[in-house]
Amino acid sequence: MKFAGSFDGSRLSAIIGSAIHLDGFQLLGDVELYHRDELGDLLGIRYIDLDNYSDGKLVLLAYKKWGQKFFQYLYGAWSFVLHDVDSGCVLISKDPTENSCLFYLRHHEKIYFSNYSNFFRDSPFFALNFLISQREF
């Protein structure tokens, strides 16, 4: 699933896709977890209820439970941006394999990100800035 968004220092905003919100945490990304049942057990979620949780929500629950150590419990393919509203922490992450990608760009006071490589090229805003930059040199 393609996604793109921005972070302005206080809020995660979706440009493509939808952010997931849970108890002061936000996540925007593409997540495909393997071994969901094992992660669900560790999180205290009954197997019969596991289908009620998206992979993104499981990531947020894992972060809520283990903090930044939650990565050791994730198996799968992902690229996402997670914002802990209370602490102000922002994690920009992709899985350690070559199954996913994540591109980001800092522009003025915002960070823009996407798992879609052409997002920055195809976006009218970035294309205009690129053309202006080319004329300046």
Side-chain angles (χ1 to χ4, degrees):
M1 173 183 84
K2 290 182 186 176
F3 73 91
S6 66
F7 180 73
D8 65 5
S10 62
R11 195 179 83 172
L12 185 66
S13 300
I15 297 170
I16 299 172
S18 299
I20 300 169
H21 303 269
L22 175 73
D23 299 334
F25 304 105
Q26 301 172 307
L27 182 135
L28 178 62
D30 184 22
V31 181
E32 181 182 351
L33 294 177
Y34 313 143
H35 310 294
R36 288 173 46 93
D37 51 344
E38 293 172 18
L39 181 58
D41 285 345
L42 293 170
L43 292 170
I45 299 170
R46 296 181 321 161
Y47 182 77
I48 195 165
D49 296 327
L50 197 56
D51 285 341
N52 297 325
Y53 294 85
S54 68
D55 288 349
K57 190 169 252 186
L58 290 174
V59 167
L60 288 177
L61 290 169
Y63 178 80
K64 183 178 178 181
K65 181 169 184 165
W66 295 298
Q68 291 187 24
K69 294 180 181 180
F70 81 112
F71 286 110
Q72 68 190 26
Y73 300 98
L74 300 185
Y75 300 98
W78 70 81
S79 57
F80 61 77
V81 176
L82 187 153
H83 177 216
D84 181 337
V85 176
D86 294 333
S87 74
C89 178
V90 175
L91 300 175
I92 299 174
S93 176
K94 67 172 263 347
D95 67 82
T97 68
E98 295 180 11
N99 292 328
S100 62
C101 56
L102 184 57
F103 305 93
Y104 61 95
L105 167 75
R106 183 172 182 174
H107 184 72
H108 298 293
E109 297 300 316
K110 285 188 177 182
I111 298 173
Y112 295 88
F113 49 87
S114 178
N115 68 338
Y116 173 53
S117 62
N118 291 332
F119 169 73
F120 298 104
R121 185 196 70 190
D122 294 346
S123 168
F125 172 76
F126 292 111
L128 176 61
N129 281 306
F130 179 74
L131 290 173
I132 291 169
S133 296
Q134 291 298 311
R135 288 184 190 151
E136 291 176 359
F137 292 105

